[in-house]
Amino acid sequence: MEKVIVFTGNAHPRLAEDICKYIGVPLSNGEVLRFSDGETRVKIQDNVRGKDVFIIQPTSCPANEHLMELLVMIDAIKRSSAKRITAVLPYFGYARQDRKDQPRVPITAKLVANLLDRAGADRVLTIDLHAGQIQGFFDIPLDNLYAVKIFGQYFGDKGIKNLVIVSPDVGGIKMARAYAKKLGAGLAIVDKRRISDTQAEAMHIMGEVEGKNVIIVDDIIATAGSISEAVGALRKNGAKDIYVAATHPVLSGPAIERLAKINVKELVFTDTIPISKEKMLPMMTQLSVAPLLGEAIKRIRKEESISELFE
Ligand code: R5P
């Protein structure tokens, strides 16, 4: 891993440390602080001239602060003559604003793609993008890894019998199908209607869940409106044990209050976003994405194929 340099902002230093351990390089030194007026101040301490630089920074809450840190770091590293800069966004914030679903609204996911590109990123590495098509917003290479590998192993080891994978909305069918295939399980879908940013309503369940153990799979749990509705609907329809697997623990607004009330056996997240001690509930587990990202970084550095990581 000669010539690999890894930096991080303030979004998730522990994940950056774990990735560095996996690839066997020290985390490089850079100050990412604030000026007295709140502006982002970055100083790269290590020499990056001619180096292959990876910046680990999920654009999680506070999204604007973390995004700005990432952009300013890219600028500082570009101007320090790095050979290549890969922006590693384990969680790609703003991804849900990926289309004009009402008049006079922005496509902010595209704007963020433009910003990363213009700041000087040469490539992007991420996990479970909210919608695969967001890749097309970039004119630089983007690798979108899948957490199904991590969750599949975890739930496979549990050997849950009589299992059905449930997508909490129609948009998640492709992801749910991948889990069902990996775990040799059935498939069901919740017909969800979004009422507002924080509220969803489950209309029907398509598929057989009565007497079955289920895993609800989703890319994001934000306010937990979707998941609460899905669990309620599954209970009404006679599901037995309910597990939840969600890649990105955004956990905003009323999420913790809602999750504390839902009756599930286990709520499993990855660590693309850190969960603070105050938000950690007893039924929550967090699985590390460091080996997956670390392996991808190693292969990108060695110019090897990473398609095996997509399977
Ligand atoms: C929707 O398309 C996503 O996959 C998630 O289900 C949604 O973003 C979760 O949001 P919330 O937890 O606020 O319902």
Side-chain angles (χ1 to χ4, degrees):
M1 287 294 99
E2 202 197 329
K3 290 205 170 173
V4 166
I5 296 268
V6 179
F7 283 106
T8 184
N10 291 306
H12 203 346
R14 204 206 60 235
L15 177 61
E17 290 278 3
D18 291 347
I19 292 172
C20 283
K21 263 186 220 142
Y22 182 90
I23 60 180
V25 300
L27 185 58
S28 290
N29 296 310
E31 274 178 8
V32 183
L33 303 168
R34 297 284 176 276
F35 286 105
S36 58
D37 59 358
E39 289 179 2
T40 302
R41 175 159 72 102
V42 166
K43 170 92 179 82
I44 302 300
Q45 253 108 14
D46 293 334
N47 173 24
V48 295
R49 191 173 290 274
K51 301 280 169 60
D52 201 358
V53 178
F54 294 83
I55 310 172
I56 319 290
Q57 177 90 330
T59 47
S60 50
C61 182
N64 297 344
E65 292 287 319
H66 290 156
L67 175 62
M68 195 63 196
E69 282 186 3
L70 177 59
L71 296 172
V72 177
M73 288 179 81
I74 293 172
D75 188 72
I77 292 164
K78 193 88 193 165
R79 291 173 196 280
S80 310
S81 307
K83 187 169 172 217
R84 177 170 68 173
I85 301 173
T86 303
V88 183
L89 290 85
Y91 169 66
F92 187 98
Y94 282 110
R96 288 182 290 172
Q97 295 182 48
D98 60 350
R99 63 197 176 284
K100 278 194 78 167
D101 54 358
Q102 301 166 44
R104 297 178 296 280
V105 294
I107 304 181
T108 318
K110 170 64 178 150
L111 174 64
V112 172
N114 287 347
L115 289 169
L116 289 167
D117 195 340
R118 288 290 171 84
D122 296 295
R123 55 188 309 139
V124 172
L125 177 61
T126 188
I127 301 180
D128 282 352
L129 257 186
H130 178 62
Q133 306 87 287
I134 293 172
Q135 292 176 52
F137 291 173
F138 289 88
D139 286 326
I140 51 175
L142 180 148
D143 293 305
N144 179 30
L145 304 173
Y146 300 109
V148 62
K149 223 179 163 61
I150 301 168
F151 286 121
Q153 174 95 52
Y154 182 80
F155 284 103
D157 289 349
K158 285 186 183 285
I160 306 167
K161 300 270 179 292
N162 210 10
L163 183 63
V164 172
I165 304 297
V166 175
S167 171
D169 54 39
V170 178
I173 296 176
K174 204 171 160 220
M175 185 184 195
R177 200 180 291 131
Y179 281 77
K181 190 172 165 211
K182 184 138 193 116
L183 293 164
L187 184 64
I189 297 144
V190 179
D191 176 18
K192 175 184 96 175
R193 193 166 61 102
R194 185 160 278 291
I195 299 166
S196 70
D197 172 34
T198 57
Q199 272 192 307
E201 190 183 359
M203 312 294 282
H204 310 97
I205 292 191
M206 295 177 262
E208 191 47 64
V209 296
E210 190 167 359
K212 308 274 188 190
N213 297 312
V214 307
I215 306 175
I216 309 172
V217 296
D218 207 350
D219 60 333
I220 296 170
I221 292 187
T223 65
S226 308
I227 216 72
S228 307
E229 280 291 308
V231 170
L234 288 166
R235 287 268 170 245
K236 263 194 217 150
N237 284 267
K240 258 171 87 187
D241 290 346
I242 302 180
Y243 299 81
V244 178
T247 312
H248 308 297
V250 171
L251 305 181
S252 54
I256 297 302
E257 215 175 292
R258 285 174 171 171
L259 292 176
K261 283 188 208 145
I262 63 171
N263 175 13
V264 297
K265 229 176 151 115
E266 204 176 347
L267 189 47
V268 189
F269 293 108
T270 74
D271 64 350
T272 55
I273 299 173
I275 304 179
S276 63
K277 267 194 195 138
E278 308 78 64
K279 289 189 173 177
M280 201 74 191
L281 298 171
M283 82 290 209
M284 284 184 188
T285 303
Q286 237 184 337
L287 307 176
S288 180
V289 293
L292 181 65
L293 287 173
E295 191 55 38
I297 289 172
K298 271 186 171 182
R299 290 179 187 213
I300 290 169
R301 171 66 198 135
K302 292 197 242 159
E303 312 276 339
E304 286 175 3
S305 165
I306 64 167
S307 55
E308 199 185 292
L309 304 180
F310 297 134
E311 280 157 19

